[in-house]
Amino acid sequence: REYFIPGSQQLLSAAGYREGFLWKRGRDNGQFLSRKFVLSEREGALKYFNKNDAKEPKAIMKIEHLNATFQPAKIGNPHGLQITYLKDNSTRNIFVYHEDGKEIVDWFNAIRAARFHYLQVAFPGASDVDLVPKLSRNYLKEGYMEKTGPKQTEGFKKRWFTMDDRRLMYFKDPLDAFARGEVFIGSKENSYKVLEGLPPSTQGNHWQHGITIVTPDRKFLFACETEDDQLEWITTFQKVISRPMLPQEYAVEAHFKHKP
């Protein structure tokens, strides 16, 4: 064990600090390039730098809004990790990997540890048992559906959907940095519901297995390729809608309503 050797990686991690290099997917060109990452609990952020000697980070990700989940199939690497954070209240995806499996697991655990210490301060009355489920989260469901716009006249387009807690995000490509759009899914007490099928007036060619999500403001229309997909998505939406909203989720809902 090297806990007490000055400068050892274990000591840095134990002190709430970690730095190293990860292969990061470029936002626009899709190339994976080596980038320096720094996780600092003291600064409350994970940062990455485009150049080794760069003074300013390319991005600052607050620990408060940070999530990490393993995505080997999606990223195409057995040690692939998807990191998300909120930028201007929209989700930003960062896809990284490391050749060494232990190294990527250590980064995952370091992010969880930083989240744990942040949550201990943010929720001083909460027990460790309450906080552990909040350290990181896997997505409730991901996959392709077709969608149409608010006027329901522009036809259906195939998109990649991710259900992250109460945020339903859709992307043109699964590895896009930003979602094309996000839909807040509230609770049944707040007039949210999911229906099988599409309204009879729906226009345009689409997959046969429709889903309608009703929100206080509008209806969202989706179509699935198979009946199994449709059933899985409906079950996922029902689980979210049947869960009462937390106080902080009302603020998120309000933001979505005032989004342009």
Side-chain angles (χ1 to χ4, degrees), residues 217 251-260:
D217 300 315
V252 179
E253 181 190 42
H255 170 79
F256 270 81
K257 285 183 175 177
H258 293 110
K259 241 180 179 177

Side-chain angles (χ1 to χ4, degrees), residues 186-235:
S187 66
K188 59 186 177 185
E189 293 88 355
N190 296 80
S191 304
Y192 290 83
K193 58 184 174 182
V194 57
L195 306 172
E196 185 181 326
L198 300 171
S201 60
T202 306
Q203 301 174 4
N205 294 328
H206 53 76
W207 284 339
Q208 296 305 302
H209 307 280
I211 299 173
T212 301
I213 291 183
V214 181
T215 78
D217 300 315
R218 60 171 274 203
K219 292 178 180 177
F220 291 90
L221 308 186
F222 308 114
C224 301
E225 189 171 16
T226 68
E227 193 174 347
D228 286 347
D229 271 353
Q230 179 196 39
L231 181 61
E232 286 178 19
W233 277 110
I234 287 175
T235 302

Side-chain angles (χ1 to χ4, degrees), residues 53-252:
D53 57 353
K55 297 281 192 291
E56 295 298 320
K58 179 69 175 171
I60 299 174
M61 306 163 242
K62 289 185 178 176
I63 288 170
E64 177 185 0
H65 300 303
L66 205 56
N67 186 43
T69 180
F70 290 106
Q71 293 276 24
K74 194 170 171 183
I75 293 172
N77 185 286
H79 310 139
L81 191 69
Q82 180 174 349
I83 298 171
T84 60
Y85 67 102
L86 291 182
K87 183 176 181 181
D88 304 325
N89 221 348
S90 292
T91 304
R92 164 79 158 100
N93 294 323
I94 287 184
F95 301 98
V96 298
Y97 72 85
H98 196 281
E99 296 94 335
D100 181 355
K102 181 183 181 303
E103 183 72 12
I104 205 72
V105 169
D106 285 349
W107 272 103
F108 175 72
N109 286 331
I111 289 170
R112 282 173 57 87
R115 291 264 309 150
F116 184 60
H117 296 142
Y118 161 77
L119 290 167
Q120 282 181 315
V121 174
F123 303 99
S127 69
D128 291 357
V129 175
D130 293 330
L131 296 181
V132 167
K134 295 177 166 50
L135 301 187
S136 61
R137 60 190 182 276
N138 293 325
Y139 299 130
L140 301 178
K141 183 167 171 58
E142 288 194 285
Y144 284 107
M145 289 194 290
E146 291 182 335
K147 69 168 288 293
T148 186
K151 295 178 182 175
Q152 299 160 11
T153 55
E154 56 265 53
F156 280 75
K157 293 176 181 172
K158 183 180 174 183
R159 294 289 182 256
W160 177 267
F161 283 82
T162 298
M163 190 75 226
D164 181 11
D165 198 22
R166 289 195 183 272
R167 288 174 182 257
L168 177 65
M169 299 172 279
Y170 55 90
F171 306 83
K172 195 169 183 180
D173 183 275
L175 294 175
D176 282 348
F178 289 99
R180 289 296 179 97
E182 301 189 41
V183 181
F184 181 84
I185 310 289
S187 66
K188 59 186 177 185
E189 293 88 355
N190 296 80
S191 304
Y192 290 83
K193 58 184 174 182
V194 57
L195 306 172
E196 185 181 326
L198 300 171
S201 60
T202 306
Q203 301 174 4
N205 294 328
H206 53 76
W207 284 339
Q208 296 305 302
H209 307 280
I211 299 173
T212 301
I213 291 183
V214 181
T215 78
D217 300 315
R218 60 171 274 203
K219 292 178 180 177
F220 291 90
L221 308 186
F222 308 114
C224 301
E225 189 171 16
T226 68
E227 193 174 347
D228 286 347
D229 271 353
Q230 179 196 39
L231 181 61
E232 286 178 19
W233 277 110
I234 287 175
T235 302
T236 301
F237 293 141
Q238 283 174 336
K239 280 181 186 171
V240 175
I241 287 169
S242 64
R243 200 175 75 219
M245 278 168 61
L246 300 170
Q248 59 266 36
E249 290 173 335
Y250 283 96
V252 179

